[in-house]
Amino acid sequence: MPEITDSQLIDGVQFTVLRAFGDDRGRFLETFRKAWFPQRSWARVQSNVSYSKAGVLRGLHYHFHQVDYWFCVNGTVQVALADLRPDSRTFRKTETLQIGEQNRMGVFIPTGVAHGFLALTDAVLTYNVDNYYDNTDEHGVAWNDPELAVSWKQDAPQLSERDLGNPLLADLPVDSLPRLCSA
């Protein structure tokens, strides 16, 4: 079982530190078990992989009906999280951390928490989600939103057109944001 800790900054976010078993042939580690996160049913699960070149930033994205669990298989990424749930005691709080092969950390991201990552090196990020892809549940907020003030490690990252067009949090009606009870 990995070490699982709660974020001290954003309610519902959890971090795993995975155990690696290695010898002269290489190493093995278990990256995910649904039992580690009993707060979600994981009845439907999809696994995805993202390959990113150094300097690519993906996000900030959020969902109403999906949680994510991220693990960086290769390279290093800076993860940024922002609580967009107005009824959360940690609303508008942000957190950044680095994950990658050097620290074997995973990140559990609940619904309503915006998430993004900056590839600090060429990187491969895997993520499990508890719902199948649904483009109607894909939302975003500006990666450089001054209200969130995420401290990215790069001022001019490479972004997709979609992420360049994400609105500021101040431009989103508060009643259109996710709630703690989003399923």
Side-chain angles (χ1 to χ4, degrees):
M1 173 106 168
E3 177 186 336
I4 300 174
T5 58
D6 294 328
S7 166
Q8 298 300 301
L9 299 175
I10 301 176
D11 287 343
V13 171
Q14 292 183 297
F15 307 112
T16 60
V17 178
L18 305 174
R19 294 180 57 206
F21 302 93
D23 57 26
D24 59 349
R25 299 169 298 153
R27 67 181 173 162
F28 168 85
L29 53 129
E30 185 176 37
T31 61
F32 174 81
R33 277 190 186 206
K34 69 180 185 174
W36 297 346
F37 308 105
Q39 65 273 45
R40 295 295 285 203
S41 70
W42 297 96
R44 293 178 286 167
V45 70
Q46 180 175 318
S47 293
N48 305 298
V49 63
S50 172
Y51 297 86
S52 299
K53 295 185 180 299
V56 167
L57 191 149
R58 299 183 188 273
L60 295 165
H61 305 142
Y62 64 96
H63 311 282
F64 287 79
H65 307 289
Q66 171 182 300
V67 299
D68 286 48
Y69 173 74
W70 288 4
F71 180 73
C72 186
V73 175
N74 188 276
T76 304
V77 300
Q78 177 193 6
V79 174
L81 306 167
D83 192 345
L84 301 186
R85 304 165 297 182
D87 56 341
S88 169
R89 70 177 185 85
T90 58
F91 179 51
R92 289 194 307 256
K93 298 275 190 209
T94 63
E95 183 165 8
T96 60
L97 66 146
Q98 287 184 30
I99 65 172
E101 56 192 314
Q102 79 286 354
N103 64 10
R104 300 182 319 276
M105 285 184 68
V107 181
F108 175 85
I109 306 163
T111 59
V113 173
H115 45 279
F117 70 89
L118 170 66
L120 299 174
T121 65
D122 288 356
V124 179
L125 182 92
T126 62
Y127 56 105
N128 294 323
V129 295
D130 73 339
N131 258 321
Y132 294 117
Y133 175 77
D134 175 359
N135 68 345
T136 66
D137 193 31
E138 289 289 320
H139 308 279
V141 65
W143 69 279
N144 57 352
D145 188 313
E147 184 176 347
L148 298 175
V150 172
S151 180
W152 292 105
K153 294 194 177 286
Q154 190 172 86
D155 293 331
Q158 182 179 353
L159 289 115
S160 70
E161 288 297 318
R162 171 188 164 206
D163 289 344
L164 283 169
N166 284 340
L168 297 173
L169 181 57
D171 294 335
L172 297 171
V174 77
D175 62 350
S176 73
L177 294 173
R179 299 290 188 251
L180 284 171
C181 60
S182 295

